[in-house]
Structure formats: structure tokens, C-alpha cells
Amino acid sequence: MTAQDILKQYFGYSAFRPGQDALVSHILEGRDTLGIMPTGAGKSICYQVPALAFSGLTLVISPLISLMKDQVGALHESGVAAAYLNSALSAPEMREVIANAREGRYKLLYIAPERLTTPDFLDFACQTEISMVTIDEAHCISQWGQDFRPSYLKILDFLRLLPHRPLVSAFTATATAAVRDDVIRALGLREPFVLTTGFDRPNLYFSVEQPSSKPQALLRLLAVRTGKSGIVYCATRKTVEDVCDMLRIKGLGATRYHAGLPAEERQRNQDDFLYDRAPVMVATNAFGMGIDKSNVSFVVHYNMPKNMESYYQEAGRAGRDGEAADCILLYSPQDVRTGQFLIERSHEAADEQVDPETRRALIDRDLERLRQMTFYSTTTECLRRFILQYFGESAAVSCGHCGNCDTTFEEIDATVDAQKILSCIYRLDERRLHFGKAIVSSVLCGGKTEKIEQFGLDTLSTYGIMQDATAARVRQLIDVLLERGYLLSDPERFNALFLTASGNALMRGRDTFVIKLPREKKAAPAKGGKGGAAIAGDEALFDRLRTVRARLAEQAHVPPYVIFSNATLADMAARQPITEFEFLEVRGVGEAKANRYGEIFLEEIKSYLRS
């Protein structure tokens, strides 16, 4: 069977998505491969199709139990023999899986990296034909990535212990050029074919808000998304608890997920979300990696993440089915301080594993990433362009489809205000005093605080010279000055502000400072690629097909999207097939699912047409 035949028979697609064909072809040619593809671009197809073409077993190294369970469940639904090995299985269950694998009953075996070098598994692996080893979430092997996992370092040891090195393929959604090169080195990839398919997700609508009340802003966002499935990410466990409690008190169907919950509750809450029993999941970043829920229509970040890599990966969990989806960040300056605290604490825990020099380098790297994330949260430029440029991709000045591009801005010459801010910092430096933007803005606005009285800051010549402006407005200007390099903040000194050479030049009148401020905001509903078009013609049939899917999912004890995605139901509602042949033409319907579910869905469509 050709790769195209496998794609159609097992997965129900007549053509590969952009990038998939090239990756599959090079893997089938026996070449090590690294694929960098955004969330929802179909990375799993790139190794699952070759796995079915190879004669031997494909090992898939995956970081999370939930990911393995979902992937194996979906493969079973598609008629593919697969299994997983992780700590969720008992010892007898693990022995049974390995025994079945020895007999060649599986084409894919998912395994946690911690188990690779255990004696039992090594004994099995050294006596088995392993055609390919695939590493999912490959950025986890890079110490310079955003989600380094020491257990991934066992992978190269495992490959060296095998009598014959198999083909190696690796995939990740977010990797800068530096992380990409580190992944290639750490995995020992041999002259790999490397493909970055592009980071853009046209169906995602990005926006940033700076609300005076985050709880009220979140309730407003959820009120217009009633019944839709979404994730609310929070920076800390306490915030997860507070936000989830607030939503439940307001009568919203919300559940929660963070590492402090008992494992049984985490699993129960995750299942409630996956099975659509709870439409809103409130979670820390402990939730989500590998969650293949296709109908997430929005992701709200209640707090700003620590870096762009994490943000784009988490936001990318929306719209995996290609439907229009919203990615909304609620920003406040406090998020920056929370991020700094979390960065310092995370590296304190790793003190014994790295030397002090490396630890300092890692902290500096993470603080720079936090700075870039802050720039994204405060910029008035195109948000999509900012993201794509961060990952090294060129982009148009305006995408015409993000919160900033949908806002009408007016350019304002803020040179005088900028000079006042820079002069204040300069005068403070003359007294050998250095403060962050909260105190600087308070001085400029003529505030009367304990700090101002303690240090005699009301005697500065710049005290109160911006008293007609709000402190929030002054802080906004400071953010822009930081973003453009007129100021620097020192995280080692509580983000104290310092002039740069260009800042000094601007202060002395040798430059101008023009900014853009929003004039009015359009009501911008989510637009997108192919979102919603298919079901617009027959929403009533789409709803009936969803009901059938929900019933079948409950009977099979799997999430509804494992039966068919929303995109497949939408195509079904648009095509309205009445024969098995027509049913197989629906996008996402393979032979196994057609045999299992075809008659049920066809009867529902016929019943609808008769009525």
C-alpha cells in the first residue's frame, strides 16, 4: 500500500496537509527527520502513516500519559493496532503489552521516556524489529527549550544500546532555530531532513486586553461563548481555584486541573472536559500537552505566560479542527512580577542538577523570554506578525485579523512625555536611586506614598510634572520605551529602570517618540480559515449528527471527537451522504470508522432528509 492508500483507508483523508507529504516521503526513504509544525497541523499523521508501511514496530516516545491514551484510543477507532506503556498500567498489564508486542501484534507502541532503559524493556527492544523511533514533543530534550525534561536525555542512551539503530523521527510544535539545532544534537540525528511548515494558524484570532477587572472581563468573554468548549489558563494553582470557584458560583460549567490535585480528580476533571460534560477547563500549564481535543473554540490566558513558546503552544490548543477560534490574553503588570518569581523558583529547584554559571545563563534566558512576552502583551503592532517574527518567520506588517489590526489607531507624538519619563529616571540616577516603573510613574504623577516620602522623591525637579496623566498611562509609555530600547530594566534589582544611549539621546532632543493609541475598537468576532462554512447550510442536521456522536462516544467510553471531529460532522452535514460510497468521501472517514459507524450516521441523515 502507498502512503496515500494508508492515509485514505485508515484516516479517511484523500490528501496530505501542507508539509505532511514531504515529511512522510523522507521518512519512508529511511532518512532521519525533524518536523516543526504548529499545534493542529497533523504531526501524528507524519509518523503514523510510515509506521503502518514499515514491516516492524514503531516506538513513539511521549511525555504524558493522557497523550498516549488519547492517541492509542484514536488509532483503535481507525482500525490500527497500538498500545502504550506507562505508569498507569499495572505490572501484569505491562507484561501483557510487551508479550503482545513480541508477537508482532502492534504497529505502534507508545512509551514514556523513563521506561526506555528499564531491564525488561531493553531486553524486549534488543530482540525486536524496531523500524522507527519517533520522539513527540521533541523540544523537551533541549535544556534551552521552554519545557526541558531530564528524562528525555535517556533517549540517546537507549538508541546506543540497541543492536541496530532504527530510523529516528522527531516532532515539535514550537522551536526557535537555537532549540531546533539543540534537538538535532541531543538526539544524534544523522543528516536529518528538517522541515518547518510555518507557524501561522490562520483560523486563530489573537487579541490582548488590559482590563481593570480580570474576573469581569472573563465573565464577559464567556457570556458570548455559551456552550462552546474552551480553556482558561492561569499562572498559579491558587488562581485556578479562585477562577474555577467564581465561574461555578456564576452557574458556568467549569472544572479545574493543576498538579496539586489528586491524580484521580485530575483524571476525572480532564475526562469531564474531553467528553464535553464541562465546557470550560480552568488550568495551569500542567494541562494540555498532547490533549487532542479538536473542538476547543477558545483559549483565554488569565495571566501572561512566561514565554512566547508556551503561549503559542497553549493558545494553539484552540481550533485544532480548523474551525475559527479565539486566543485571548488578559494582561496586567502584575503578571510580569509573577513570571519573574516563577522563573527564579523553578531554577532554585534545579540547583543540584546544573552548575551556578549555567543556572545563571538559564535564568537570564528565561527573563529575556519573559521580556519578549511582555512586549507582545503591550505592543500596538500586529500580534500575528509579532509571533511569526519571534519564531524567525517573515510576515506582513498587518494581518488584518487580530485584536490590534481590528483596532483603529491614531499616531501621537509623545516625545515630550517620553522626555519627562527619561528625565525622571536620569534625576533618580543622579541621586544613585533606581526604581521600577510603579514608583517612577507615581513620582511623575505627583503621588504621595511611603516610598516617595522615605526617599524624598517629592523634591525631584520631575516630581508631579505629569500629574494630568494617569499612572496607568505613564506605565504604558514606559512599556513602549522598554520595547523600543530607550530603557532597560534590571531583574536583579527589582526591575529598576536605566537609560540606554538611545534613551539619553531622546531625552536631549535628538530623536522623536511617536506612538499609536487605539481610537476605537471594532466588535471583532472570530474569523478564520474554513471555520463554520460547512455547517452554515444545515445546522439542524449538524446538531442531530452531534447527538448521534455523543451517544456513540458514551457507549464506547471515548471522547466525542475520537468518533468524528466537528470538521468531519460539518462536512457530513454539507455533503449529506446516503450511500456507503458517499460516506467514505466525507473528510475524516476511513474504512474502519465507515464500517463501524457508517450505517448509524447514514440512517440519521436519511431520517433527516425524509423529515
Side-chain angles (χ1 to χ4, degrees):
M1 259 195 307
T2 67
Q4 292 280 355
D5 293 336
I6 293 170
L7 181 70
K8 180 60 181 171
Q9 177 175 330
Y10 289 96
F11 303 102
Y13 301 113
S14 55
F16 287 105
R17 295 188 199 176
Q20 288 179 331
D21 197 7
L23 288 162
V24 169
S25 297
H26 281 85
I27 290 173
L28 290 175
E29 289 170 5
R31 188 170 174 186
D32 283 1
T33 300
L34 172 60
I36 303 168
M37 309 168 74
T39 302
K43 292 186 288 294
S44 58
I45 288 287
C46 296
Y47 61 82
Q48 289 171 351
V49 167
L52 292 171
F54 290 144
S55 59
L57 178 69
T58 290
L59 289 180
V60 182
I61 299 168
S62 177
L64 290 180
I65 292 173
S66 58
L67 170 61
M68 298 185 203
K69 183 180 177 182
D70 283 358
Q71 291 272 9
V72 170
L75 286 169
H76 287 169
E77 288 293 320
S78 298
V80 178
Y84 58 79
L85 281 172
N86 58 44
S87 58
L89 300 180
S90 64
E93 287 172 329
M94 287 190 186
R95 287 194 293 270
E96 182 181 359
V97 169
I98 290 178
N100 289 337
R102 285 184 190 275
E103 294 176 11
R105 295 188 183 183
Y106 307 127
K107 293 301 293 180
L108 294 103
L109 179 60
Y110 287 74
I111 182 168
E114 296 85 354
R115 306 211 64 79
L116 287 171
T117 52
T118 58
D120 286 352
F121 188 77
L122 265 179
D123 178 68
F124 154 74
C126 290
Q127 299 179 48
T128 301
E129 181 192 356
I130 298 175
S131 297
M132 179 169 67
V133 172
T134 294
I135 297 92
D136 202 5
E137 308 293 349
H139 63 273
C140 292
I141 200 171
S142 172
Q143 195 172 44
W144 300 98
Q146 80 277 11
D147 194 25
F148 171 61
R149 301 195 176 207
S151 60
Y152 263 58
L153 298 177
K154 296 178 182 289
I155 296 173
L156 191 55
D157 293 336
F158 170 73
L159 292 171
R160 288 169 175 162
L161 290 170
L162 295 176
H164 302 288
R165 181 187 182 274
L167 177 70
V168 179
S169 60
F171 297 89
T172 182
T174 50
T176 59
V179 172
R180 176 200 63 203
D181 294 341
D182 202 28
V183 168
I184 293 171
R185 179 198 59 76
L187 287 175
L189 300 184
R190 299 175 180 176
E191 298 182 358
F193 171 70
V194 180
L195 179 65
T196 301
T197 60
F199 291 93
D200 193 16
R201 296 275 304 282
N203 65 312
L204 299 186
Y205 183 90
F206 294 95
S207 66
V208 178
E209 297 184 16
Q210 299 188 36
S212 56
S213 169
K214 286 192 179 184
Q216 291 303 313
L218 179 60
L219 290 171
R220 169 177 51 80
L221 292 169
L222 296 183
V224 296
R225 293 169 175 81
T226 303
K228 292 187 176 182
S229 181
I231 305 171
V232 179
Y233 278 110
C234 303
T236 66
R237 298 176 187 180
K238 183 180 185 306
T239 309
V240 167
E241 297 288 346
D242 292 345
V243 170
C244 188
D245 287 346
M246 175 192 71
L247 297 183
R248 287 172 172 172
I249 290 170
K250 295 292 183 179
L252 298 172
T255 189
R256 59 185 182 165
Y257 191 105
H258 60 71
L261 297 174
E264 299 80 10
E265 184 182 348
R266 287 202 307 272
Q267 187 61 55
R268 183 172 66 250
N269 294 349
Q270 177 173 297
D271 287 346
D272 285 345
F273 178 66
L274 294 178
Y275 286 82
D276 293 328
R277 293 189 289 263
V280 179
M281 170 62 80
V282 185
T284 61
N285 62 4
F287 176 80
M289 185 185 286
I291 297 299
D292 195 22
K293 183 173 170 62
S294 63
N295 66 329
V296 175
S297 67
F298 65 89
V299 170
V300 176
H301 277 83
Y302 196 78
N303 305 108
M304 183 187 75
K306 293 180 291 183
N307 53 66
M308 185 58 67
E309 289 88 345
S310 296
Y311 174 70
Y312 199 49
Q313 188 173 56
E314 291 160 11
R317 285 163 192 150
R320 294 176 67 102
D321 54 4
E323 297 292 308
D326 297 316
C327 306
I328 305 161
L329 170 58
L330 303 180
Y331 169 78
S332 73
Q334 177 60 41
D335 294 335
V336 182
R337 293 186 284 275
T338 301
Q340 291 166 344
F341 169 75
L342 293 174
I343 287 169
E344 294 284 352
R345 192 175 68 174
S346 67
H347 286 289
E348 284 173 7
D351 261 348
E352 298 178 1
Q353 299 182 30
V354 297
D355 59 85
E357 185 177 346
T358 301
R359 176 178 178 270
R360 187 65 253 169
L362 290 170
I363 290 174
D364 289 344
R365 173 212 63 184
D366 287 350
L367 290 174
E368 173 58 24
R369 287 177 173 171
L370 179 69
R371 194 167 73 98
Q372 292 299 321
M373 192 68 231
T374 306
F375 291 162
Y376 170 83
S377 303
T378 56
T379 186
T380 55
E381 305 299 324
C382 173
L383 295 172
R384 190 180 307 276
R385 183 171 191 259
F386 190 103
I387 293 170
L388 296 179
Q389 286 192 319
Y390 179 86
F391 289 110
E393 198 168 311
S394 60
V397 174
S398 172
C399 71
H401 180 50
C402 72
N404 284 359
C405 289
D406 278 346
T407 300
T408 302
F409 288 99
E410 56 182 346
E411 285 196 342
I412 294 175
D413 187 338
T415 303
V416 173
D417 281 347
Q419 289 171 333
K420 291 176 180 178
I421 294 169
L422 297 169
S423 295
C424 183
I425 295 166
Y426 181 81
R427 297 302 177 196
L428 285 168
D429 184 65
E430 285 184 325
R431 297 188 183 187
R432 299 194 177 186
L433 294 172
H434 302 96
F435 298 103
K437 58 185 176 183
I439 293 177
V440 169
S441 60
S442 184
V443 170
L444 287 161
C445 292
K448 299 186 183 300
T449 66
E450 185 179 336
K451 285 271 189 193
I452 287 175
E453 183 178 335
Q454 177 185 352
F455 291 97
L457 303 183
D458 53 354
T459 62
L460 285 168
S461 60
T462 52
Y463 177 78
I465 61 172
M466 295 183 73
Q467 57 187 351
D468 292 336
T470 64
R473 156 79 168 164
V474 176
R475 289 196 298 269
Q476 183 184 48
L477 289 170
I478 292 173
D479 283 335
V480 181
L481 288 166
L482 284 164
E483 181 182 353
R484 297 188 187 176
Y486 293 108
L487 289 173
L488 289 176
S489 64
D490 185 356
E492 293 286 300
R493 303 174 69 175
F494 303 100
N495 293 308
L497 299 170
F498 295 86
L499 267 67
T500 63
S502 59
N504 198 295
L506 174 59
M507 182 185 69
R508 297 180 187 281
R510 295 197 289 267
D511 197 357
T512 58
F513 184 68
V514 177
I515 62 171
K516 292 196 299 184
L517 292 177
R519 183 180 293 154
E520 59 179 344
K521 188 80 174 254
K522 298 177 186 176
K527 297 179 272 186
K530 57 187 180 183
I535 65 169
D538 217 320
E539 292 189 31
L541 176 56
F542 179 78
D543 288 339
R544 287 177 62 158
L545 295 176
R546 284 183 63 186
T547 301
V548 172
R549 180 183 66 175
R551 186 178 73 246
L552 293 171
E554 186 174 356
Q555 292 170 356
H557 305 292
V558 297
Y561 63 83
V562 170
I563 305 293
F564 288 124
S565 70
N566 278 358
T568 296
L569 293 190
D571 197 35
M572 207 180 292
R575 292 175 183 268
Q576 300 181 358
I578 58 174
T579 68
E580 184 178 344
F581 177 78
E582 291 174 337
F583 193 69
L584 280 165
E585 291 300 305
V586 174
R587 180 171 174 79
V589 176
E591 290 184 11
K593 289 190 177 182
N595 291 336
R596 189 172 299 149
Y597 304 121
E599 185 178 343
I600 301 170
F601 280 93
L602 287 172
E603 183 54 42
E604 186 67 26
I605 293 168
K606 291 174 186 175
S607 171
Y608 173 78
L609 293 175
R610 284 195 297 268
S611 66

